[in-house]
Each structure stands twice: as structure tokens, then as C-alpha cells.
Amino acid sequence: MASGSGTEVDTERFRTLLLEERERVRASIERFHEQNSGSLEDETEEETYDNHLADSATATLNREIDYTLEENAEHVLHAIDEALQRIEAGKYGLCGRCGNPIAPERLEAIPYANRCIDCKRLEERG
Ligand SMILES: [Zn+2]
């Protein structure tokens, strides 16, 4: 390994991956906004009390799912930004909870991961 950097992770490669992933996530957030803009008002205007309650319940449910997806996407976006900051700080690839290195295969799968698999499991359980 090259000396001096203090980290064994190829941060330049992960920086590229993270920037690509950030563009993807941001594009999908924009799609959510495009799909949702106006649709809420359309549905509300069409709402008549002759319609089944089930219809508006379904519309509400769909909207909640969209918001959940959007929240997830924004959560990922935030995690990506933090990962990029960790690269700048020279702390990329270290668990934010216990400080141990995150397994390389885990970073390959989730470049913005900030928990080692052990801590992740603990958090999901608790
Ligand atoms: Zn950990």
C-alpha cells in the first residue's frame, strides 16, 4: 500500500462511487417531486362524497409510501454527504460507533455505510 495516507481504503474510488450514487439519489428525489406535484390537488378536487371512501384511502396510502421513499432517499443523500465528509477528514471506512474498520465488502455494497456490520446489527435489533 502507498504510505502516508493512513488508510488502506481506496478513497478516491469510493469518492467517485459516492458522487455517482448521490446523483442517482438526487435524480430519484426529483422524480418524486415531479410525480407528486399537482397530483395531490387533482385528487382532492375530484373528491366527492359519492366516491367510495376506499378510493381516497388508497390515494392517501400511495402518498404515504411515496413520502417514505422520499424520506429514505433523503436519508441516503445525507449519509452520502457524511461519507464524503469522512473521506475529506481521512476517516472513511471507519465505524462511526465503535471506530473499527468497516469490512471492505460492506463498503463495496454500501459505500455510504457508517457502521460496521456488528454495530449495524446491534442498532437494528435495539
Ligand atoms: Zn462498529
Side-chain angles (χ1 to χ4, degrees):
M1 289 301 290
S3 62
S5 72
T7 169
E8 294 170 18
V9 179
D10 184 354
T11 51
E12 276 310 309
R13 205 178 119 253
F14 280 107
R15 190 206 303 268
T16 306
L17 284 175
L18 285 162
L19 289 172
E20 285 173 1
E21 184 72 14
R22 187 163 70 167
E23 280 311 300
R24 257 202 305 275
V25 173
R26 207 164 28 201
S28 75
I29 289 176
E30 277 172 21
R31 270 202 304 280
F32 284 135
H33 285 301
E34 281 169 20
Q35 282 170 3
N36 286 329
S37 67
S39 66
L40 178 63
E41 286 156 37
D42 292 347
E43 283 162 19
T44 314
E45 281 167 18
E46 284 167 17
E47 187 186 12
T48 64
Y49 290 99
D50 296 333
N51 276 346
H52 302 292
L53 271 175
D55 285 345
S56 66
T58 306
T60 307
L61 186 65
N62 286 342
R63 220 171 290 130
E64 279 171 6
I65 290 168
D66 280 350
Y67 278 127
T68 307
L69 285 170
E70 185 177 347
E71 275 173 22
N72 276 340
E74 286 182 352
H75 179 80
V76 169
L77 202 61
H78 185 66
I80 289 171
D81 281 338
E82 284 191 344
L84 288 166
Q85 284 167 18
R86 286 197 299 276
I87 288 176
E88 297 301 324
K91 292 175 182 168
Y92 182 73
L94 298 179
C95 175
R97 192 163 181 268
C98 70
N100 286 333
I102 299 171
E105 59 267 28
R106 178 162 165 73
L107 289 174
E108 293 285 345
I110 311 170
Y112 49 85
N114 68 344
R115 294 286 186 273
C116 70
I117 192 68
D118 289 340
C119 290
K120 180 72 181 164
R121 283 193 188 127
L122 281 174
E123 288 187 353
E124 280 175 356
R125 206 179 303 154

